[in-house]
Amino acid sequence: MKNPNPEAFEKFLPLARLALDGRFDAGAREVWAVPLARLLEAASRGVGQIKVTECGLPDNPPEEFFAVSGDLVLLPRYQSCWDRVRTDFEQRLAAPRPLFDDHAVRAGLDAILPRLKEDHFDNARQRLAVAAFFDAGVGVLTGGPGTGKTTCAAALLALRKRLEPGLEPAAVLVVAPTGKAACRLAESLSKSADRLPLEPAEKEFLKSLSPRTLHKALEWTPKDPEQGGPFARNRERPLDARVVIVDEASMVDLELMAHLVLALPPAATLILLGDSDQLESVETGGVLAELVARGTAASLPPDTLARWQARTGEDTVTKIGGEAAAGTVGVPPASPQSGQDARAPGSLRHSLSRLAAQACALQPLPGLVIALKSSYRAKESPWILELADMVKPGGTGTAAQFRALAAAHEPNVRLYDARADFDACCDGHWKMWTQAMSGWTVKNFAEFLPGLGGYLAAFQLLCGSNAQVDRANRRGMRILWGGTPKQAGQPHGCPIIVGTNSHSLGLSNGDIGVALGSGPGTPAQVAVFPGIPQPIPLSRLPEHQPAFALTIHKSQGSEWQAVALDLPGEESRLLGRNLVYTAITRSGDGFHLFAGNNALESLLAPAPDVP
C-alpha cells in the first residue's frame, strides 16, 4: 500500500509501536503498528479520518486505538469530539425555546436592516438570517467574501438589544479562532454600528463588545486534562453568556469546537459565521463543512417557513421560499473540506464529500444553515467572485477557463508562467514600499502612523508552504538592505508579523507592523503597529518574523488591495482548490498568480467521482 508521505510515515512507526507496547505481544503489536502509524501521520496533517482500506486496518481493531465509523477510521479522541459536537448541535436545534413575537421582530428588522435590492446585491438572505437566528438555539451563517456575514451578526445583536433592552454586553460573547481575526471582527462590528440605522443605545451596545479569541474566552490553562485542563471553562464552570457568535468558524478545529460546546450553557444562542469553501484549521477540522452538509439534507417544517414569512415579509419568502422548502436556503452544493483537496485519497475532504453525498447516515439538520450569496464586493470587483466560484471546492472550472477569465480581467488579474516575471512583480511592490518608508524614522514615526494601516493593506504575497515564505522573505530583506544583508536582524522598513499573543503589549498572533531604524539600509530598533501609539523595542516583541510573504492559512480573515499567490508545483501535496479560493478572496482589487510547471492544470483537473 502506497503511503502519502513515506518519510513522515516512517517517523510515526516508532511512536505507534511505543503506544502499543505492553498491550500486545511483538507479533500483534506489529500488526496494529502500521495502520496506527498511518492514522497518526494523517492526523499530523490535519486529516482526522481516513478510509479503513487506505489505513490497512484488519478486522476487530482495539477500541482504545481505533474508532471505526462505517468505512472510515479515526483516533478515538477525535471520535469522542465528533460525538460531543454532533450531539450538542442536534440537541440545540431540536430543543424548544421561548420565541419573540413575530410582529415585533418584523418591525425591528425593517428598521435595522431595511429591504435593499440593487445591482449585484440583494439583502433578502441577510434579513432572513437575522430573523431566523436571533432567538434560535443554534445557527450557521455561511457565505463567500463580502456577503455581509458580520453585518448580519451586528444586525442580529442590535435587534436582540432592541427587543430585550436589559441585555448587557457582558451577556454576549463574540469570539474568533485567532487574535488577528478577533481584532478585525471588532473593527467590522464598529463599522456596522456606524453604518446601520440604529438607536443610540444599540450603537453603543455594539461598540462596547470586546471580541476575543476562543482560547481566551475559554480561559486556556497549561494544565493536563487529568488536572482539569486545558480550559478552565467547562461543563462544571460554563461560560457566562446568553449569546455566542463565532467568526471565521471554518478555522476552528474539532477539539476546540468540542471544548466550546462543552462550556456553553444549554439556553445560550450559538451562531457560527464562516465560509465553508475556505481553508480550515491547521489542526483536524471539518466541523463547519459537516454542519453545512447536514443543514441542506432535508426540507424545512411548515411552521418554520411560516415563522420566517411572518418575520421577514412575503417578498423575502417568495424570493427564496422554494429553496427554503427544499432545505437549501440558498446554500450551494455542499463541498466539505480540510486543508487538502477532494481528490486526495484519505483526506478529510474526500471523506466528508462522501458524507455529504450520502447524508453521512447522520441526522439531517433542517433550518440550521443559511447561506449568503449577494456580495458587496461584486459591485466594484466582480472578477473576484467569478474567479473564486471557478476554483472553489466542488467547482468545475478548468485551467483553460481560468486563464481566459483572467485575461478578460487584466490588469486586475495577472497570470505568470515565468518565475522571473512573477518575482519582478513582487519586487516592484516591495521597492515601492521601500520608497514610501524612506522618510520614516524612529523619531518621526508618529507623523506617519495614521497611514500605516493603508500601507500594510496595499499588497501581500501569499504562499502555500513555509519554504516559499522563507524564500520570499530573504528576497525582500535583500531589497531593503540594498542588495546584501549588512548584519543579522531586520532592516529599516521590514514588515513583520507577530507569532504569539502579548496582552501586555496589546498584540495578537498574526498582527503585522513595521520595523524602523534611523533610515533606509539601517538596522531596525523598534516596531510600530496600527492602533498602538508607541513604538515597541524589537527586544520586547514576542516571537516574530518578516512578513513579505505569508502562508495562506495565516491570511484568513485579512484583506489586501492586491494579492500575489505563489502556487506550489504540480506535485505538491499542498495543492487544493480551497488554497486558491482563499487566496483570491483575500484580494480587494488585484490578483497576481504564479502558476508555473503546470500547477494550475494540476489544481483544476477534474476530480474523480466520489463513490
Side-chain angles (χ1 to χ4, degrees), residues 445-461:
F445 80 95
E447 178 182 346
F448 300 96
L449 189 59
L452 178 58
Y455 282 108
L456 291 172
F459 172 79
Q460 184 63 58
L461 170 60

Side-chain angles (χ1 to χ4, degrees), residues 3 98 104 141 151 177 189 203 208 305 311 316 331 341 347 373 378 485:
N3 298 313
L141 183 60
T151 298
L189 286 175
K203 188 184 297 289
S208 65
L305 285 173
R311 290 182 170 194
T316 299
V331 180
D341 188 83
S347 71
K373 288 186 173 181

